[in-house]
Amino acid sequence: MDLNQIRIVVTLLSLACFGAIVWWAYQRARNFDEAAALPFADEQPGSQGASNE
């Protein structure tokens, strides 16, 4: 096995890993959206933030 074949194998393995990570992220996108909304879950409807007037 020469150096160019090793480079081809490493490139293909890297591409496969990248594809697997992208697939994993899209499969769990709903969970990420729910987690992103958690900081806003305890706010009152219509409130514009903390105001001490």
Side-chain angles (χ1 to χ4, degrees):
M1 193 177 238
D2 67 338
L3 184 59
N4 285 330
Q5 288 178 334
I6 294 172
R7 288 177 179 166
I8 290 170
V9 170
V10 169
T11 301
L12 292 176
L13 287 174
S14 299
L15 181 63
C17 287
F18 177 76
I21 291 170
V22 169
W23 175 80
W24 175 82
Y26 278 118
Q27 293 295 316
R28 287 157 178 80
R30 186 180 326 132
N31 294 339
F32 292 145
D33 290 340
E34 291 173 3
L38 282 177
F40 307 110
D42 63 344
E43 291 184 0
Q44 299 295 330
S47 67
Q48 296 295 322
S51 177
N52 294 330
E53 292 179 25

